[in-house]
Amino acid sequence: MSNKNQFSEELAAYYEATHGYGDIGDESFYLDAATSADGPVLEGACGTGRLYLELLRQGVDADGFDVSPGMLEILREKATIEGISPTVWQADLRSIGASRTYSLALVPYNSFCNLREVDDQLATLKAFHDVLAPGGRLLFDVYVPRYDVIAEAFGEWQEIQEVEYKGNLLRGRSKATIANQVEQTYRAEQELLETDGDVVARDEFVLSHLPPQQVDLLARLSPFDEWSVWGGFNREPLTDGDSVQVWELVK
């Protein structure tokens, strides 16, 4: 199991170039939670630092980790340019490896969906519970599948974009297919191609659909004492038509 795909250097650079900056709907929510936290903050699956570096810019005492060394290298490069000193390390969601405790932990941008086995999901919740101080909170979001979009887009290469990497112009593309219909998982494939069509980097990973009933059951089996869910980043009740579930678990 990989809780987040270990991007090659090329694919990490492509991810960074094509995922943009600024608030995509979640940033202000997590920033508000972090800046009001009564103690250190930990971000799991921090990637190239879209959110994590903003935490540091806002003066938050924050650490982060990610399973992908390529993503962390980009984060560190960006931090060096800005004169920021990050505290980040390589680890996956099940084993964290933190050396202190936190008032708040974050796992944004659907990263929890990379956990496909119940044992891995429960191990992750326990790992975060272990690094939180009493009263500490874990916040994470998971997508709500849009089946109308899935039916149209599955099996076809999508979103061909260009990115410059080390002086070469590369085209990126992605494709999603059903991985296991019974388990409700899908496979995401990504490729980078040179202008002549040769593939120079390729990766794939499998994500789980996590309906709220399943996450609720995981919370009940976890060491956490309280939990709640919202239908988006405005803390509104989860209802049909929402595109994201936002969960808060309290130690």
Side-chain angles (χ1 to χ4, degrees), residues 31 34-35 52-62:
L31 281 174
T35 54
Y52 175 76
L53 291 177
E54 188 61 31
L55 297 179
L56 298 189
R57 296 183 192 109
Q58 297 294 326
V60 176
D61 179 10

Side-chain angles (χ1 to χ4, degrees), residues 101-236:
T101 57
Y102 301 88
S103 294
L104 176 68
L106 315 172
V107 186
Y109 206 46
N110 303 309
S111 292
F112 200 86
C113 296
N114 287 275
L115 301 158
R116 302 193 301 275
E117 303 293 335
V118 171
D119 285 347
D120 292 328
Q121 295 159 354
L122 290 175
T124 293
L125 293 182
K126 184 180 184 304
F128 276 101
H129 184 272
D130 288 347
V131 300
L132 286 171
R137 298 177 296 147
L138 168 63
L139 289 174
F140 63 91
D141 60 85
V142 298
Y143 66 92
V144 176
R146 292 184 56 191
Y147 291 105
D148 55 337
V149 174
I150 289 172
E152 292 181 0
F154 261 40
E156 302 292 336
W157 288 107
Q158 302 289 329
E159 300 179 13
I160 296 179
Q161 302 180 54
E162 292 183 339
V163 61
E164 185 174 341
Y165 177 73
K166 293 185 176 179
N168 296 321
L169 189 63
L170 303 175
R171 295 187 301 125
R173 63 181 185 177
S174 62
K175 179 172 65 174
T177 55
I178 295 173
N180 188 304
Q181 188 167 334
V182 173
E183 295 178 359
Q184 296 188 28
T185 57
Y186 75 90
R187 176 176 291 102
E189 301 175 61
Q190 301 178 85
E191 290 184 347
L192 282 180
L193 303 89
E194 295 180 326
T195 54
D196 61 5
D198 288 344
V199 176
V200 296
R202 186 181 189 282
D203 200 359
E204 65 177 61
F205 54 97
V206 176
L207 296 177
S208 297
H209 295 335
L210 289 173
Q213 299 94 327
Q214 182 173 346
V215 183
D216 182 73
L217 284 171
L218 291 169
R220 291 169 188 257
L221 292 170
S222 79
F224 284 93
D225 295 320
E226 303 173 23
W227 53 91
S228 54
V229 61
W230 305 293
F233 298 104
N234 295 320
R235 296 179 180 265
E236 297 292 333

